[in-house]
Amino acid sequence: MTRQRRLVYDVLLRDLDHPTASEVFLRAKDQLAGISLATVYNCLETLTDAGLVKQVNLDREPSRYCPNLHEHAHFFCMSCGAVQDVAPASNDGGLCGWRIPEGNRVEKMEVAMRGLCRRCAAVEESDSEETGDVSASRAARAAN
Amino acid sequence: MTRQRRLVYDVLLRDLDHPTASEVFLRAKDQLAGISLATVYNCLETLTDAGLVKQVNLDREPSRYCPNLHEHAHFFCMSCGAVQDVAPASNDGGLCGWRIPEGNRVEKMEVAMRGLCRRCAAVEESDSEETGDVSASRAARAAN
DNA sequence: TTTTGATTTAGAATAATTCTTGATTTGTCG
DNA sequence: CGACAAATCAAGAATTATTCTAAATCAAAA
Ligand SMILES: [Mn+2]
Ligand SMILES: [Mn+2]
Ligand SMILES: [Zn+2]
Ligand SMILES: [Zn+2]
């Protein structure tokens, strides 16, 4: 655990908001001016390989990083971009609900949800009340 | 639906094995020598936007494409690279099993599983029987 | 203090994808 | 049947996240 690795890890632990490598880099620079983006990438890989951090991907967007080691899914808000952890309800981690082909051995599962976070869902709700216009919310939803 | 789009779509329908854009390109070239990779990308995007095809991502690997429009998850074999469709067991599409934060509105969910397909699981099984060596299968599993 | 091996850094390289820009095709109308 | 316009295709350049390379730095141990 070098200074840079410690710093990168601390950045992830501080806000738990699943920053990208570039975002980690920006935050880390505040504490250690000389740190480089390459080092941030190196540290994130080292931490990931060490099992302290998980890499989180949605589609082809830049990878995000998460220090929550409990089994969990991710919720991505399509409106504000926030990423939240979602805890499993049962102890099979959502594996129920799928007809795994006979004989397949599942080692791990990744679950990503997209939608509107509570705040954005509330804003959209009040918007359509005020304007009586549903198209905005429909458009937001169609925006994928 | 132009000739190129029809061809790209047919390639996807023929094998249902979730090829990458490059793989689609190679297969399409056999039928239409002049087609370009850029056109394959264009067609895949058009088909995806039209809702005929779904883009499937695992980590940061090249995107794969799937013409199965039913709700389904994906199983990726860590050993042979095969990608299989996984049908939902219930009608909530695996949404059960997760404690969605209060107020969040989930629009869609993507589920990816990794492990060993039936064939590779069987091979590994017989391998460790023959050699009495469990390390190979453990290594294969650790290989992520 | 010197050695040694790991780590960091800056910048080049890579690879999937997207963009730009003409060329080509397709459909429409006189 | 020809224009003409709009859509689409294709070639290559550009973009972007990430990885690689090679030299500089660091930090324990001898
Ligand atoms: Mn997380
Ligand atoms: Mn599929
Ligand atoms: Zn939001
Ligand atoms: Zn397999």
Side-chain angles (χ1 to χ4, degrees):
Chain A
M1 192 55 101
T2 65
R3 184 139 84 108
Q4 287 84 348
R5 290 174 185 170
R6 177 83 244 168
L7 172 55
V8 165
Y9 189 45
D10 285 345
V11 163
L12 293 179
L13 288 173
R14 171 133 46 239
D15 293 331
L16 303 173
D17 62 348
H18 304 85
T20 63
S22 302
E23 288 165 346
V24 171
F25 173 55
L26 291 177
R27 297 178 198 178
K29 257 199 315 198
D30 293 341
Q31 315 262 144
L32 182 61
I35 197 170
S36 75
L37 179 57
T39 297
V40 169
Y41 272 107
N42 287 341
C43 291
L44 288 170
E45 185 184 2
T46 302
L47 292 167
T48 300
D49 290 350
L52 289 174
V53 161
K54 286 199 281 194
Q55 193 184 43
V56 177
N57 295 292
L58 178 67
D59 298 340
R60 302 204 61 77
E61 289 173 21
S63 293
R64 300 177 169 277
Y65 296 86
C66 168
N68 175 357
L69 298 179
H70 298 110
E71 173 157 339
H72 65 284
H74 289 102
F75 181 95
F76 299 80
C77 179
M78 302 179 320
S79 174
C80 70
V83 181
Q84 299 170 38
D85 288 345
V86 177
S90 46
N91 56 11
D92 76 340
L95 210 150
C96 79
W98 299 102
R99 311 189 97 82
I100 312 300
E102 186 67 38
N104 281 29
R105 199 184 304 166
V106 177
E107 299 286 341
K108 59 162 60 174
M109 186 164 60
E110 269 160 49
V111 175
M113 301 168 194
R114 260 182 301 198
L116 295 181
C117 72
R118 184 167 59 167
R119 182 182 328 195
C120 292
V123 167
E124 189 196 80
E125 183 64 29
S126 66
D127 275 6
S128 55
E129 266 173 34
E130 282 169 31
T131 66
D133 175 16
V134 160
S135 70
S137 65
R138 212 188 294 120
R141 240 176 286 129
N144 224 345
Chain B
M1 191 56 101
T2 65
R3 184 139 84 107
Q4 288 84 349
R5 290 175 186 171
R6 177 83 243 169
L7 172 56
V8 165
Y9 189 43
D10 285 346
V11 162
L12 292 179
L13 289 174
R14 172 131 45 240
D15 292 331
L16 303 174
D17 61 347
H18 304 84
T20 62
S22 303
E23 287 164 348
V24 171
F25 173 55
L26 291 177
R27 296 178 199 178
K29 257 199 315 196
D30 293 342
Q31 316 261 144
L32 182 61
I35 198 171
S36 76
L37 179 58
T39 296
V40 169
Y41 272 107
N42 287 342
C43 292
L44 288 170
E45 185 184 2
T46 303
L47 293 167
T48 300
D49 290 349
L52 290 173
V53 160
K54 287 199 279 194
Q55 193 184 45
V56 177
N57 296 292
L58 178 67
D59 298 342
R60 301 205 61 76
E61 290 173 20
S63 293
R64 301 176 169 277
Y65 296 86
C66 170
N68 176 356
L69 297 180
H70 297 111
E71 173 156 339
H72 66 284
H74 289 103
F75 181 94
F76 299 81
C77 179
M78 302 180 320
S79 174
C80 70
V83 181
Q84 298 170 40
D85 287 346
V86 177
S90 45
N91 56 9
D92 77 339
L95 211 150
C96 80
W98 298 103
R99 312 190 94 84
I100 312 299
E102 187 67 39
N104 282 29
R105 198 183 306 167
V106 177
E107 299 287 341
K108 58 163 59 176
M109 184 163 63
E110 269 160 49
V111 176
M113 300 169 195
R114 262 181 303 197
L116 295 180
C117 71
R118 184 167 59 165
R119 183 183 325 198
C120 291
V123 167
E124 190 197 79
E125 183 64 28
S126 65
D127 275 5
S128 55
E129 266 174 35
E130 281 168 33
T131 64
D133 175 17
V134 161
S135 70
S137 64
R138 213 187 292 121
R141 239 175 286 132
N144 226 340

